[in-house]
Amino acid sequence: MEVLHIEGLTKQYGRIKAIDSLTLTVQSGQVMGLLGPNGSGKTTTLGIILDILKADAGTYVWFEGKYAPAEARKRIGSILERPYFYPHLNADENLDIVRRIKDLPPMSFDEVLDTVGLLKRRHSPYRTYSLGMKQRLAVASTLLGDPEVLIFDEPTNGLDPEGIIEMREIILKLRNRGKTVFLASHILDEVEKICTHVTVLQRGKVIASGPLGHIITNNKFVIVSAAQPDLLQQLLQEIEGVLHITREGQKLIVEARKDLRPEEINRIAAQNGIWLSHLEERRMSLEEEFLKLVKAQNTP
Amino acid sequence: MRTIGKYLYLEWLKFRRFRPFVVLTIAYVVLLPSLLFSFHSMIQFAKLRFRTPEAYFKFPHVWEYLAYGGSWLAFFLLGYLGVALVTYEFQHRTVRQNIMVGFSRRDFYTSKLAFITGYALFATAYFLLLGFVLGMIYTGPNEYHSLFQEMESMPFRYFLMIFSYMVFGMFIGFTFRKSALSVLIYFSYVFFIEKILRWVVHRDILYIEEKYNLYYPINAMSDLTPLPFEHLMREMSVPFTQYHALSPTQAIVTSLLWAAIFIGVGYYRFVRSDL
């Protein structure tokens, strides 16, 4: 099922187009990463589909239009930018307000508060919480009613290393339970570790979208160096599966298909009397992939 | 009806321990009778003689004097409460949270309006109770029949007065969002902006010649429960001079129109704006 369909969404702030005819679909069960540098329109996109911001053009439909927009939001757990709660109320009281707006039956919050590790401080007013605790309460509130869809905007922002790991574990657990997750992040590593699908945004436009494996090509890099780089380069170019070689000083960076094994390079070099002083295999990271995409986009 | 109940209870949960709400409510409850008693002390102190001693505590005039005091409290306290109930949500972005978790813009706006209506009803009920108790204490038993005399549409006018001040405050809150700025604009408007406006437009601050001068929002709201000037003059045996105010009916119609405009314009903008 299509959980979310966005069509031609545009939002302008003065002369700046925060997002520009953005089109995107999230299917049920996907963990869709919305990836892009700061200011690329991630939060604006999430803001619009949560009705916090009004688009200048375009449409979005939740759950194939099965529910009215507000009713649809009751079935979504979301965090946008930072947690928003009533400072003078404690964790239970704040969650109770969320529960009532969502029309959920009366319930105990023990379980969700335990999941996020806030049980001990549940009776303190929200304003006394540290940023990490506020974030945890926000996560707890997204879990209320066990929604099918979750939206996280920069979920690890401002968390300490321990919090970051916990947050990722929570999202991975949700993924394993078949939940649909829509996650915005500028941290590539995060997207790579959590997402099944990724949409890359740059200056408000989608520059790539698809399963993680498609966006990250299957090519790999092998970095080699030897005393005779010119000769080595000539030899390597002959090997089947080598796509491209760039030279950085003494080092050769070989982009190759994923089935090329490093020992093959080593064997050919040795047969020709070249002894490698460095041989390193590396998968292309999302970061490099991202830069490549951005470059491709910018060169007409 | 069930939805309205949900809205009301939700707002109650949000604000029952919100300091301005608690403090302003206590202030209203304490000050409403206190104002009348201070008026009494002033009369005593100035050795002014009323034809009917303590007429302002007695039926039927206790309603008018008490309501006049109430209009000052609406002006200073409850209109400000209307501002605070809205700007608090913007300041802490809980308006965003409410929408994100499943309120429509309309749900949010309606729940604010429902809460303000409920609050104005509470304030009116307290006013009626207080007027009744004071009247019963100070009016002689053989004059109880005057309880409802000259009360006219007083309960409704009092309710509308509180309601429209709070609606105005709410409108300022929804328009300016930032709490300090909104409070500043609210008080500037009720204190002098409207008067300046009237002067600029009509060149007639005492509104003697120009009758349209009386139809401005704050003036109309305060004319809902005006000082019983005529009665006061008569009681103090001062020749009655003309007092320029809207008639009760004029004030009711004008205030209703203004409240409708504030509610309508506020809603129109709220459902279309970024939060």
Side-chain angles (χ1 to χ4, degrees):
Chain A
M1 187 185 67
E2 262 183 28
V3 167
L4 170 68
H5 182 75
I6 299 176
E7 186 76 50
L9 223 51
T10 300
K11 172 80 181 168
Q12 246 168 316
Y13 291 110
R15 256 189 276 155
I16 298 158
K17 272 193 176 161
I19 53 171
D20 188 0
S21 12
L22 191 134
T23 296
L24 175 68
T25 301
V26 180
Q27 300 284 348
S28 167
Q30 286 182 353
V31 178
M32 172 64 86
L34 195 57
L35 182 65
N38 292 325
S40 56
K42 303 184 298 285
T43 301
T44 304
T45 307
L46 297 187
I48 291 171
I49 60 175
L50 291 169
D51 199 31
I52 296 305
L53 304 175
K54 292 291 179 185
D56 295 318
T59 53
Y60 62 89
V61 181
W62 283 108
F63 306 106
E64 298 173 344
K66 232 177 4 180
Y67 312 105
E71 289 305 309
R73 290 198 297 279
K74 288 177 184 167
R75 295 171 161 78
I76 300 166
S78 54
I79 303 180
L80 195 70
E81 277 185 315
R82 58 188 178 82
Y84 309 127
F85 290 104
Y86 295 89
H88 66 288
L89 302 180
N90 67 32
D92 282 282
E93 292 163 334
N94 268 302
L95 290 179
D96 195 44
I97 284 179
V98 174
R99 172 189 79 74
R100 285 170 186 277
I101 292 178
K102 283 184 178 288
D103 289 324
L104 295 169
M107 59 174 78
S108 146
F109 302 126
D110 298 355
E111 199 189 317
V112 282
L113 287 174
D114 189 34
T115 309
V116 299
L118 260 184
L119 271 180
K120 270 190 198 154
R121 289 290 302 277
R122 66 191 299 176
H123 298 304
S124 316
Y126 174 74
R127 63 164 181 271
T128 63
Y129 289 5
S130 69
L131 179 62
M133 292 165 68
K134 290 178 176 176
Q135 203 93 335
R136 284 159 198 267
L137 184 59
V139 174
S141 92
T142 63
L143 301 177
L144 284 190
D146 198 22
E148 283 309 301
V149 181
L150 293 115
I151 294 182
F152 297 112
D153 184 18
E154 307 282 1
T156 56
N157 234 5
L159 293 183
D160 57 12
E162 193 193 0
I164 291 176
I165 293 167
E166 282 174 14
M167 185 73 214
R168 284 194 187 151
E169 275 169 5
I170 288 174
I171 298 176
L172 284 173
K173 257 187 223 158
L174 291 168
R175 181 173 94 170
N176 295 339
R177 285 175 51 209
K179 303 284 180 192
T180 309
V181 181
F182 195 17
L183 170 141
S185 178
H186 66 280
I187 305 164
L188 306 148
D189 179 53
E190 190 164 283
V191 170
E192 203 171 10
K193 282 188 178 132
I194 299 173
C195 297
T196 59
H197 290 69
V198 59
T199 295
V200 185
L201 280 189
Q202 198 207 4
R203 285 193 226 116
K205 288 192 168 177
V206 176
I207 58 174
S209 186
L212 191 70
H214 288 204
I215 299 299
I216 298 177
T217 53
N218 286 324
N219 297 345
K220 65 178 167 194
F221 287 90
V222 183
I223 301 163
V224 290
S225 59
Q228 312 97 310
D230 297 323
L231 188 57
L232 182 62
Q233 188 167 356
Q234 269 176 26
L235 280 170
L236 294 181
Q237 264 157 4
E238 307 289 303
I239 304 175
E240 205 189 312
V242 169
L243 301 167
H244 184 72
I245 301 174
T246 34
R247 185 147 163 204
E248 265 178 28
Q250 291 293 99
K251 270 187 196 162
L252 297 177
I253 299 166
V254 182
E255 188 178 349
R257 280 208 304 269
K258 97 178 158 190
D259 52 1
L260 179 82
R261 296 186 328 191
E263 45 267 49
E264 185 66 8
I265 293 178
N266 201 1
R267 189 179 60 77
I268 290 170
Q271 273 172 359
N272 291 279
I274 298 174
W275 301 104
L276 299 179
S277 57
H278 184 98
L279 176 63
E280 177 194 350
E281 184 187 352
R282 201 150 60 75
R283 228 187 80 200
M284 192 164 174
S285 74
L286 197 49
E287 198 125 5
E288 283 159 317
E289 201 70 51
F290 181 71
L291 287 173
K292 219 173 97 179
L293 281 168
V294 170
K295 254 188 216 157
Q297 190 72 18
N298 291 343
T299 43
Chain B
M1 228 32 223
R2 241 184 75 218
T3 340
I4 296 290
K6 173 186 159 179
Y7 293 154
L8 271 174
Y9 193 58
L10 196 67
E11 291 293 305
W12 167 247
L13 290 179
K14 285 180 190 174
F15 293 112
R16 64 187 165 154
R17 286 193 280 111
F18 176 49
R19 189 148 309 148
F21 174 76
V22 175
V23 171
L24 292 168
T25 304
I26 293 174
Y28 171 76
V29 168
V30 172
L31 288 177
L32 189 59
S34 310
L35 282 179
L36 201 56
F37 283 106
S38 341
F39 179 70
H40 172 68
S41 314
M42 273 160 55
I43 300 286
Q44 301 286 318
F45 183 76
K47 300 207 164 58
L48 295 173
R49 288 186 62 87
F50 269 50
R51 279 187 195 167
T52 324
E54 299 175 341
Y56 38 83
F57 282 143
K58 295 177 180 167
F59 295 133
H61 295 287
V62 60
W63 302 117
E64 293 166 359
Y65 284 90
L66 197 61
Y68 177 65
S71 78
W72 282 99
L73 298 179
F75 181 102
F76 277 107
L77 308 176
L78 304 187
Y80 165 55
L81 180 60
V83 176
L85 292 177
V86 173
T87 55
Y88 189 67
E89 304 258 16
F90 279 102
Q91 188 185 348
H92 299 288
R93 303 259 184 138
T94 42
V95 52
R96 283 187 159 203
Q97 181 225 46
N98 282 197
I99 303 290
M100 276 162 60
V101 303
F103 253 5
S104 64
R105 306 275 183 120
R106 186 187 176 151
D107 288 327
F108 185 84
Y109 199 82
T110 317
S111 61
K112 284 280 169 253
L113 208 55
F115 192 58
I116 282 176
T117 311
Y119 196 90
L121 284 173
F122 151 77
T124 307
Y126 178 66
F127 156 78
L128 292 174
L129 177 75
L130 200 64
F132 182 72
V133 170
L134 286 173
M136 289 307 270
I137 295 172
Y138 287 92
T139 316
N142 38 8
E143 284 172 77
Y144 283 166
H145 64 275
S146 61
L147 205 163
F148 296 111
Q149 264 177 27
E150 293 176 48
M151 201 182 175
E152 289 179 0
S153 46
M154 183 56 91
F156 178 66
R157 276 189 286 141
Y158 192 86
F159 164 78
L160 184 61
M161 184 271 295
I162 302 278
F163 177 74
S164 45
Y165 268 108
M166 291 186 85
V167 160
F168 178 66
M170 184 175 117
F171 172 73
I172 297 286
F174 270 109
T175 306
F176 298 98
R177 299 184 175 188
K178 298 216 160 41
S179 38
L181 177 70
S182 305
V183 171
L184 185 75
I185 288 176
Y186 172 79
F187 282 115
S188 309
Y189 186 83
V190 298
F191 273 116
F192 53 82
I193 294 179
E194 184 172 295
K195 293 189 175 62
I196 293 173
L197 216 61
R198 284 159 58 175
W199 189 78
V200 170
V201 177
H202 306 285
R203 302 277 158 180
D204 186 6
I205 192 75
L206 295 171
Y207 29 97
I208 294 181
E209 300 293 324
E210 171 66 87
K211 61 180 190 242
Y212 296 113
N213 215 332
L214 298 169
Y215 291 96
Y216 282 73
I218 297 300
N219 189 66
M221 291 172 200
S222 59
D223 279 355
L224 280 168
T225 57
L227 175 70
F229 192 73
E230 203 181 324
H231 176 257
L232 190 64
M233 293 295 110
R234 200 176 342 112
E235 284 291 328
M236 296 203 293
S237 311
V238 176
F240 178 63
T241 47
Q242 214 189 341
Y243 181 67
H244 296 274
L246 296 173
S247 74
T249 315
Q250 282 173 325
I252 288 173
V253 173
T254 313
S255 299
L256 277 175
L257 277 175
W258 279 117
I261 289 171
F262 292 138
I263 292 169
V265 173
Y267 179 74
Y268 182 86
R269 298 197 42 202
F270 179 65
V271 293
R272 282 166 182 77
S273 62
D274 291 346
L275 301 179

